[in-house]
Amino acid sequence: RSDIPLPRERRESWRQRSPLISVFVVLLFFTIASGQLRYSISEELTEGSVVGNIAKDLGIDLNIMKQRGFRIISGSTEPLFNVNEDDGVLYAKRKIDREEVCKDNNVCVISLKTVLENPLEIHYVIVEIADLNDHSPAFPDKAQKLEISESALPGAQYQLQNAHDPDSGTNSIQQYKISQNDHFRLEIKDRGKDGKTPTLTLGKQLDREVKSSHKLVLMAIDGGTPQNTGTVEIYIDVLDVNDNMPVFIQDTYSAVLQENTPAGTTVIQVNATDLDDGPNGEVVYSFGSGVKGKIRELFDIDSVTGEIIVKGHIDFEEQDSYHIDIQASDKGSIPFKTYKSVIINIGDINDNPPEIEVASLSSAVSEDSRPGTTVALLSITDSDSGLNGKIISYIAGDNAPFLLAPSLQSNMYSLVTKQVLDREQQSQYNVLIVAKDAGEPSLSSEKSINIVISDVNDNSPEFLQNPYTFYITENNSPGASIFSVAARDNDEGSNALISYLILRERGGENTLTSFLNINSENGEIVALKSFDFEMLKTFQFQVVASDSGTPLLSNNVTVNVFILDQNDNAPVILYPLSSNGSAQGVEEIPRNVNAGHLVTKVRAYDADIGYNGWLLFSLQEVTDHSLFALDRYTGQIRTLRSFTETDEAEHKLIILVKDNGNVSLSATATVIVKLVEPKEAFAASDVKSAAKDVEGSNVIFYLVISLGAVSVLFLVSIIVLIAMQCSKSTDYTSKYLPETNYDGTLCHSIQYRSGEKRYMLVGPRMSIGSTIVPGSHGNTLVLPDRRRTPEEVGLFYIS
């Protein structure tokens, strides 16, 4: 319709196209004249809206229109318009959408062919559908994605999708706008009938690490009133270029790892980031090329997580810290690498006991060493640190004569003597050194050191007994060992090698010791001659024992030797003795004597003593056993009864005298008893007295000899007994010493009388039960069945 006002834009466009409009008007005029009608309607008219009055505009009478059948010729498509034959009005048969009818045509013109028949008359009607701004610009997609490399240079262009607006003319898209940003600007390219095309131009280089994506909003604006717009979101992904190195998050990495930590324990985790994307930003970890093999044996690193893991045995004492270079690398085609040093400090635990090492040890320490003498140098160390490595050392026990003293050098100790040593008390020491640390729990070590004490010659030989007392049986074999002495020396080696010698007086050739010899090595003493008890009862000498040390030390001991009696002397008949020396005598007694009359007394002497000199008398032979009796202890012969007339006048008695030795020795005496009348007996008594005088003189001779021998023996015995009492030796026993009931009295005497003679026995006090019986010369001591030593008995004769 020509009465529809034109928008301002269209008016401006009209002015611009005024030359063309003039031509168009001329053409339209001719068209109308030729029977063409042109109507202009707005789109979106409702159904039945009037387009124009064709009958009126063509000048056709309504009746003729009906008669001639005015109609619109349509093709296969459904007609958009229809003519009302009653009033000749052209109206819209349905709602007309310009964008549907004309689609992309800027000018939407619909040509209608009308026909009047009889005669045929054709009229052309053009209906122009004016566009309304009833559509907004629309983009094909709700969002558009672009991928732009961060290496793209400014000025790079990226074509965007066009928006579509079904409206035409000024109602179509007139401009594009883009949201505010720092990197892009929008350029519009006019492509004629294809419309305007937006182009995105890079104004500033992108940095994916700063911003990996950008979001822009592109707005399309049409020229309608009011303006309609359409938007699309543009997502720009910045494509990564490997332009960034991996960067560790921390400036320094350090950790404390306790030693003996089990394998598989994570020590520390390093973390590096790469601002790049994809493989360019994917970081892998490894040890630096300079990391030594030993570290690789102890540690491992997870290439993905960056965890440093314990692999081997961690020992603080081997190394207390590790500096490990860690490499972080990306996976770019040309990878970037970054290095970082990780410090792992090893924490000490008390897992090492102190170590005791003997740096120097004397093979032997002289016993005369002064206190403070160094015996050994010790090194005592502990590989641990801190309190775990602090050491307390000492010597176990309190009896060792040594002291552990620290030296000026650290961890060095001296083992020194703290007192005077005595090898003879202890020749070696096993010193136990104990070292404990101050850790928790405390660990300790022990070291045993064997210290040998060397000998010096500081001890003289010591005899096992002092003095020595030996008892030797007489008649020993010459050249045989009779006894030995022994000494010991508490020293050792040559200092304890003892040699023996007999100390001889000057002119020793004439002394008794000249008959003795001693083995210098073992102290065995040999007698070069036999001893005779009856000649020598006792003697003493001295033995010297010397060691072989330097200086030589010696000691001597007194040796007391007592000769023991053997039964080597047979009894000697002192009475009766005939003139020719035979033991035979004649005794004349009156025939009228009564029973118990002493006929005579047989006297005998034995040079031996004790049991060996104890004499017993027995009748060996007698003519009449009923007449005579013999006292076995005294040798007295007495009558048993009175004589009768029938008894013979002469009787022969053979008396056997034997000692009490183990092997008895004996002698015999013959006594002839003659029975005479009393007168003859008186006459014979004078003769007998004279004979007795002779006999007495012989007896006195033998008694003097015996008295002298016994006196010497007694004096020696007294001296020895006094010495023994003074020494009071308690650990020496012998069957020849006095019995336990000895009361300590050195001697006593027993007196008895036999006929006209008085005898006294002098000797040591005897035990109760001893019996003295007068013998032929009063020399017989009768004891119970036990042996007495020679020193216990001494017999003196006194008148």
Side-chain angles (χ1 to χ4, degrees):
R1 293 180 303 184
S2 59
D3 57 348
I4 299 176
L6 295 174
R8 181 171 57 84
E9 292 83 354
R10 296 185 65 179
R11 287 198 300 270
E12 293 176 355
S13 179
W14 178 268
R15 294 189 189 97
Q16 296 172 359
R17 300 175 182 177
S18 56
L20 295 176
I21 292 175
S22 300
V23 177
F24 178 74
V25 171
V26 174
L27 291 175
L28 180 60
F29 175 76
F30 283 104
T31 300
I32 294 175
S34 61
Q36 289 186 354
L37 294 177
R38 188 179 186 92
Y39 297 101
S40 178
I41 63 173
S42 176
E43 66 174 330
E44 304 296 335
L45 290 178
T46 60
E47 181 180 353
S49 297
V50 176
V51 176
N53 193 331
I54 291 180
K56 181 180 177 180
D57 292 335
L58 289 177
I60 302 173
D61 187 72
L62 292 176
N63 292 326
I64 296 174
M65 185 177 289
K66 288 182 180 181
Q67 292 174 2
R68 295 179 65 180
F70 188 85
R71 59 185 179 86
I72 298 173
I73 299 174
S74 61
S76 60
T77 61
E78 182 180 357
L80 297 174
F81 304 97
N82 202 358
V83 176
N84 189 343
E85 293 180 353
D86 294 332
D87 53 12
V89 174
L90 181 65
Y91 61 89
K93 193 174 180 180
R94 60 183 178 84
K95 184 179 179 180
I96 297 175
D97 184 359
R98 175 190 172 279
E99 287 74 28
E100 180 181 354
V101 174
C102 296
K103 294 189 177 181
D104 294 333
N105 293 330
N106 289 331
V107 178
C108 185
V109 177
I110 299 175
S111 297
L112 299 178
K113 184 185 290 186
T114 61
V115 178
L116 285 175
E117 296 181 355
N118 297 319
L120 179 63
E121 185 179 346
I122 300 174
H123 298 278
Y124 294 95
V125 179
I126 297 174
V127 179
E128 181 181 358
I129 301 174
D131 182 43
L132 292 177
N133 194 18
D134 58 347
H135 290 86
S136 297
F139 289 92
D141 300 313
K142 293 182 179 180
Q144 183 178 355
K145 287 187 176 183
L146 292 178
E147 291 182 346
I148 303 176
S149 174
E150 63 177 331
S151 63
L153 299 177
Q157 292 185 339
Y158 304 94
Q159 185 174 348
L160 303 177
Q161 291 181 346
N162 293 339
H164 177 69
D165 192 338
D167 296 329
S168 62
T170 58
N171 292 332
S172 66
I173 298 172
Q174 298 300 313
Q175 62 178 331
Y176 289 92
K177 290 184 179 181
I178 196 168
S179 59
Q180 182 66 35
N181 67 91
D182 296 332
H183 294 277
F184 298 96
R185 69 177 183 270
L186 188 64
E187 294 183 2
I188 308 298
K189 293 182 179 181
D190 192 352
R191 297 183 179 275
K193 66 177 181 178
D194 291 333
K196 295 178 174 61
T197 301
T199 301
L200 195 62
T201 302
L202 181 63
K204 180 181 178 181
Q205 190 170 5
L206 300 173
D207 188 349
R208 194 203 67 81
E209 289 71 39
V210 176
K211 193 172 184 180
S212 62
S213 64
H214 299 266
K215 178 182 178 183
L216 303 176
V217 177
L218 179 63
M219 179 183 292
I221 306 172
D222 63 17
T225 304
Q227 292 180 327
N228 291 327
T229 62
T231 60
V232 63
E233 293 179 343
I234 300 175
Y235 293 96
I236 300 173
D237 289 333
V238 182
L239 298 180
D240 183 53
V241 175
N242 194 20
D243 59 346
N244 289 277
M245 300 178 66
V247 177
F248 285 93
I249 294 177
Q250 297 177 212
D251 291 336
T252 58
Y253 286 92
S254 63
V256 176
L257 176 66
Q258 295 297 327
E259 64 175 329
N260 300 333
T261 299
T265 302
T266 298
V267 181
I268 192 174
Q269 182 177 13
V270 297
N271 191 8
T273 59
D274 193 322
L275 297 177
D276 295 325
D277 191 23
N280 295 331
E282 187 175 343
V283 180
V284 291
Y285 304 91
S286 62
F287 289 131
S289 58
V291 175
K292 297 180 180 179
K294 179 60 178 178
I295 295 179
R296 296 178 185 270
E297 293 176 2
L298 297 177
F299 300 98
D300 199 0
I301 187 168
D302 191 308
S303 61
V304 177
T305 64
E307 292 179 335
I308 298 177
I309 302 169
V310 176
K311 181 180 179 182
H313 176 66
I314 306 299
D315 190 355
F316 170 85
E317 290 69 39
E318 184 175 342
Q319 190 167 340
D320 59 357
S321 66
Y322 295 90
H323 291 251
I324 305 175
D325 290 332
I326 304 299
Q327 171 184 290
S329 173
D330 58 31
K331 291 185 178 181
S333 58
I334 301 177
F336 286 111
K337 299 177 182 179
T338 303
Y339 297 92
K340 181 66 67 174
S341 180
V342 177
I343 301 174
I344 300 177
N345 295 311
I346 307 302
D348 181 41
I349 62 176
N350 196 22
D351 61 340
N352 289 280
E355 294 182 359
I356 304 174
E357 180 182 358
V358 179
S360 176
L361 176 63
S362 300
S363 59
V365 180
S366 177
E367 64 176 323
D368 61 350
S369 299
R370 295 182 178 180
T373 301
T374 299
V375 176
L377 289 178
L378 305 175
S379 172
I380 304 178
T381 58
D382 195 319
S383 301
D384 297 320
S385 63
L387 289 177
N388 296 334
K390 296 297 181 183
I391 302 173
I392 302 171
S393 56
Y394 57 91
I395 299 175
D398 300 327
N399 297 326
F402 299 97
L403 182 67
L404 193 64
S407 63
L408 296 178
Q409 188 176 356
S410 178
N411 298 325
M412 293 298 294
Y413 296 84
S414 299
L415 185 64
V416 299
T417 59
K418 68 177 181 179
Q419 65 189 46
V420 177
L421 303 175
D422 188 353
R423 190 206 65 82
E424 288 69 41
Q425 290 187 2
Q426 190 164 346
S427 61
Q428 63 179 358
Y429 293 88
N430 193 16
V431 180
L432 184 63
I433 307 297
V434 179
K436 298 176 67 176
D437 59 31
E440 184 63 36
S442 177
L443 299 179
S444 63
S445 298
E446 296 179 351
K447 184 74 172 181
S448 180
I449 300 177
N450 188 40
I451 300 174
V452 178
I453 309 301
S454 63
D455 184 51
V456 296
N457 194 25
D458 58 347
N459 288 276
S460 300
E462 294 291 336
F463 284 95
L464 302 182
Q465 299 178 30
N466 191 1
Y468 276 97
T469 300
F470 295 104
Y471 297 88
I472 305 172
T473 304
E474 63 176 334
N475 302 322
N476 56 293
S477 300
S481 174
I482 53 176
F483 51 80
S484 65
V485 296
R488 65 167 178 263
D489 194 320
N490 291 329
D491 297 322
E492 66 177 358
S494 61
N495 295 331
L497 185 61
I498 299 175
S499 61
Y500 302 89
L501 62 90
I502 295 176
L503 185 62
R504 306 180 191 273
E505 299 178 355
R506 292 182 180 180
E509 303 81 21
N510 299 323
T511 64
L512 186 62
T513 55
S514 62
F515 297 100
L516 298 176
N517 199 4
I518 188 169
N519 189 321
S520 63
E521 295 181 357
N522 57 23
E524 189 176 80
I525 297 176
V526 176
L528 302 179
K529 74 168 189 173
S530 294
F531 295 104
D532 187 356
F533 172 80
E534 287 72 34
M535 295 182 64
L536 180 65
K537 304 295 188 294
T538 182
F539 64 93
Q540 69 174 200
F541 62 95
Q542 286 191 326
V543 176
V544 179
S546 302
D547 59 27
S548 302
T550 303
L552 183 145
L553 299 178
S554 63
N555 204 348
N556 56 358
V557 67
T558 298
V559 180
N560 297 307
V561 180
F562 293 93
I563 310 301
L564 298 180
D565 181 47
Q566 275 191 329
N567 193 22
D568 59 344
N569 290 279
V572 177
I573 304 298
L574 298 179
Y575 179 83
L577 285 176
S578 63
S579 60
N580 59 3
S582 63
Q584 182 173 351
V586 178
E587 294 289 337
E588 292 181 352
I589 62 174
R591 184 180 287 271
N592 59 351
V593 296
N594 297 322
H597 175 75
L598 176 61
V599 177
T600 187
K601 181 179 181 180
V602 178
R603 294 179 178 88
Y605 168 78
D606 195 323
D608 298 322
I609 65 171
Y611 281 92
N612 296 329
W614 179 19
L615 301 181
L616 297 177
F617 301 85
S618 62
L619 284 174
Q620 185 74 15
E621 184 179 340
V622 63
T623 54
D624 190 347
H625 288 283
S626 64
L627 287 177
F628 303 99
L630 176 65
D631 190 313
R632 67 175 302 186
Y633 299 110
T634 64
Q636 292 179 350
I637 301 173
R638 293 181 182 275
T639 58
L640 293 176
R641 62 180 176 82
S642 299
F643 295 100
T644 63
E645 294 295 334
T646 59
D647 291 330
E648 295 182 359
E650 185 175 321
H651 298 274
K652 182 180 182 179
L653 283 71
I654 300 177
I655 293 90
L656 176 65
V657 181
K658 66 176 181 178
D659 57 29
N660 202 35
N662 290 331
V663 178
S664 297
L665 300 179
S666 62
T668 59
T670 303
V671 177
I672 298 174
V673 180
K674 293 181 178 181
L675 301 179
V676 295
E677 296 299 327
K679 294 178 180 180
E680 296 177 0
F682 288 119
S685 61
D686 295 334
V687 178
K688 187 173 181 181
S689 298
K692 286 185 177 180
D693 291 338
V694 175
E695 175 191 354
S697 62
N698 293 334
V699 170
I700 291 172
F701 174 75
Y702 287 112
L703 286 178
V704 169
I705 295 176
S706 299
L707 181 61
V710 172
S711 297
V712 173
L713 175 61
F714 174 71
L715 290 175
V716 172
S717 299
I718 292 299
I719 294 172
V720 172
L721 287 174
I722 292 174
M724 294 178 64
Q725 286 293 320
C726 293
S727 63
K728 293 186 180 295
S729 175
T730 59
D731 55 351
Y732 177 81
T733 58
S734 172
K735 66 179 181 177
Y736 297 108
L737 290 178
E739 294 181 351
T740 57
N741 58 2
Y742 176 66
D743 61 4
T745 302
L746 292 179
C747 62
H748 87 191
S749 63
I750 298 176
Q751 301 182 18
Y752 65 92
R753 182 179 295 275
S754 176
E756 298 176 355
K757 305 292 184 180
R758 184 166 60 89
Y759 295 90
M760 180 177 68
L761 178 65
V762 180
R765 188 176 182 85
M766 295 169 291
S767 60
I768 298 174
S770 300
T771 304
I772 296 179
V773 179
S776 61
H777 289 278
N779 65 335
T780 302
L781 173 64
V782 180
L783 300 174
D785 291 337
R786 61 185 182 89
R787 298 287 181 174
R788 276 284 178 183
T789 61
E791 63 193 20
E792 291 183 325
V793 179
L795 182 62
F796 290 86
Y797 169 75
I798 59 177
S799 58

